[in-house]
Amino acid sequence: MERRNTLDQDEVQKLEPGRNTGNHNDSNTDLQVTYTQEAAAFFHLRQTHHFDEFEYPSDQYCKQDLFPKWHLPLKIASIASLLIFIYTFLRDVVHPFVTTNENTFYKIPILVINKVLPVVSITLLALVYLPGILAAGFQLHYGTKYKRFPQWLNGWMLSRKQLGLLSFFFASMHACYSLCYPMRRSYRYKLLNWAYQQVKQKKENAWIEHDVWRMEIYVSLGILGLALLAILAVTSIPSVSHSLTWREFHCIQEEDPEDQMWLGC
């Protein structure tokens, strides 16, 4: 009897692996069938809508939001540009026209726009680092760094990268507009008028020392400020920022903006 029971147990042990194997095979077969059906459905969808792995169907494409992280920074930049443009337009164009009847509307395309660009750039750069100061004050006020920031401050801090890139964009546009100054027809006419006035006053040399030094220093500091802002913009690229250590990234993002703000002011 004992021998018979032993044989029965051996037979049961031999049968169990077979059962498990059969179950695994059935599961694998079901997975293969399911995977094949999904692949066939995806292939049919791809042939129907004519899109590859980097595209989406038209219905999903319309549902996607366009540049969601740029909505708030673009609104801030647009509002700041509009307000500064209105102020500059009233001061440089409308005021001379009303007071002295001087027509200076030709300044709008280049001169007025070029005065707006640097102010917007330095304003956006200040908005990049202002929420960090507010966040530090918020943590000091509550005595902990684990309390959640308000929703408006959290959204502001998440938009700092986009605000910095917009600041660099406006600074680059300011540099391009400044290079176009000698190309303007109005500048050539003014240059001829200045030469005529110099001849009429019988001046051989119209050199003014302090004006020369002021313009040279102004242009030099502007170039240095744009170069520092370009470094900040390049280091904000993910591939570049990931290649830097935390100390290097902190040094660039914390030290350079202070110098750039001083140069911009």
Side-chain angles (χ1 to χ4, degrees), residues 39-167:
F42 178 77
F43 179 77
H44 176 71
L45 184 63
R46 179 177 179 178
Q47 294 294 329
T48 303
H49 293 275
H50 302 285
F51 68 95
D52 54 14
E53 59 270 20
F54 297 103
E55 298 178 350
Y56 293 90
S58 57
D59 54 346
Q60 296 183 8
Y61 178 79
C62 296
K63 294 179 181 179
Q64 289 183 340
D65 197 3
L66 186 62
F67 301 113
K69 295 182 179 180
W70 288 84
H71 290 176
L72 180 61
L74 287 175
K75 290 179 181 179
I76 294 175
S78 300
I79 293 173
S81 301
L82 181 60
L83 294 177
I84 297 172
F85 174 80
I86 293 174
Y87 171 75
T88 308
F89 174 75
L90 293 176
R91 187 190 64 178
D92 294 348
V93 178
V94 176
H95 182 263
F97 182 77
V98 173
T99 55
T100 61
N101 200 20
E102 182 182 1
N103 187 2
T104 57
F105 287 92
Y106 69 92
K107 294 182 178 181
I108 297 176
I110 301 294
L111 295 178
V112 174
I113 298 298
N114 198 34
K115 288 184 178 181
V116 173
L117 293 175
V119 179
V120 176
S121 177
I122 199 69
T123 302
L124 293 177
L125 186 62
L127 292 177
V128 172
Y129 296 96
L130 180 59
I133 300 175
L134 296 178
F138 182 85
Q139 292 175 349
L140 291 174
H141 176 72
Y142 288 98
T144 178
K145 63 179 181 180
Y146 299 105
K147 186 177 178 59
R148 288 183 175 272
F149 294 130
Q151 188 65 29
W152 61 270
L153 182 58
N154 187 35
W156 190 357
M157 295 186 68
L158 293 176
S159 302
R160 290 182 297 176
K161 177 181 178 181
Q162 288 75 20
L163 290 172
L165 292 176
L166 287 175
S167 176

Side-chain angles (χ1 to χ4, degrees), residues 203 205-214:
K203 291 183 179 180
N205 188 4
W207 184 276
I208 302 177
E209 189 72 19
H210 64 86
D211 284 345
V212 173
W213 274 101
R214 182 179 61 182

